[in-house]
Amino acid sequence: MENKVILITGGAGFIGSHVVRRFVNRYSNYKIVNLDKLTYAGNLENLKDVEDKTNYIFEKGDITDLEFINQLFEKYQFYGVIHLAAESHVDRSISNPLEFVLTNVVGTVNLLNAAKTIWKGNFENKIFYHVSTDEVYGELGDDGKFLETTPYDPNSPYSASKASSDHFVRAYHHTFKLPVKISNCSNNYGSHHFPEKLIPLMINNILQNKALPVYGKGENVRDWLFVEDHARAIDVIFHQGKVGETYNIGGNNEWKNIDLVKFLCQLMDKKLNRQEGDSEKLISYVTDRAGHDFRYAIDASKLTNNLGWEPSVTFEQGLEKTVDWYLANQDWLEHVTSGAYKNYYQNMYSNR
Ligand code: NAD
Ligand code: TYD
């Protein structure tokens, strides 16, 4: 495992930055190349603590750019790829589906092609690891959980694009024997999460004393996993997972949105020395998301039984760490919400 070069795509984003940090700090024998386009969701501030490490390199670029990707693969002769770059927000995919097809589908196939070409059929010890979502399985009713064998049934343009990319990854394995691994993870939360997603958006709005927009009746259910536990699962699967296999990753931690928002309000009231119940008064029920999936829940027993992975923190611990990080890093929040975010927020929420 000496001096192997690993490409991590989307490393300036939320989950990607945690994966880059983990790999740079743990594996001094790897060179980590972080490729990111730095869209609104990508932020090099997320990686300040590792940017000077000698085993870390940043490359700005677009995964849909064929020539650039081929040159990058030529230049570094990657041993492994961990692919996280994506458009990741369901609401944006409803406003602009094509962007999701380009980055998530075309971008992924572009990377698969580059890996196949540069590795020239010599796939021994090579890994192409594709990071995906549980949303590809569609929605659940009140019971049951997603297994790796659950048929794909994506409902949003986001999940349809991720499902499509997963299918291409599997097809490259089946047809060309490319050594792939896939994981499908539930909703993540933690530090450096862009405040368009539920938890950081609510934290930001509570801080600003702004309305807390809960879609529909707030009864939709998500299964929340602390982002550092996801990064650790990716590490375990990258090193020990079987080629050609899919692994589900989840927190075994289901929350109705409204219960989660109320729980967060209570925690924030304590942290901000506000009166109990103050933040909850900001809750505002707004028009539901179109096609809103009712419930997601992951059965991660394959990963636990085969590779020994389990979540390391409870939701209470993880959420407290998360809130503490946002309180200590309000300048980060200010930076990411100062520019285009204002327009985004206005467009997305003013007519709900
Ligand atoms: P994110 O939106 O925070 O980050 C995405 C990153 O990809 C950004 O840094 C962005 O600049 C980069 N990027 C976007 N388009 C690009 C392009 N064309 N070329 C190069 N870089 C580009 O997303 P995230 O929440 O960190 O998710 C990362 C991955 O994990 C995604 O593939 C997502 O589908 C998957 N995932 C996310 C969750 C979750 O809860 N957030 C859960 C399961 C799986
Ligand atoms: P989100 O964080 O966008 O993740 P996903 O849709 O990929 O699961 O949303 C999580 C849940 O919170 C989802 O059921 C939609 C809901 N939600 C709100 O109620 N209000 C909001 O402002 C946002 C962004 C999400």
Side-chain angles (χ1 to χ4, degrees), residues 46-63:
N46 295 351
L47 289 165
K48 273 253 162 282
D49 52 331
V50 296
E51 69 184 10
D52 293 331
K53 300 261 169 135
T54 51
N55 61 337
Y56 172 72
I57 299 169
F58 175 67
E59 290 273 0
K60 185 169 188 295
D62 187 333
I63 57 168

Side-chain angles (χ1 to χ4, degrees), residues 56 81 106 124 174 190 208 211 217 226 248 252 331 337 346:
Y56 172 72
V81 177
V106 177
E124 210 180 327
H174 187 87
Q208 315 270 334
K217 294 183 176 149
F226 190 51
N248 280 354
N252 206 12
D331 50 340
T337 55
Q346 170 77 9

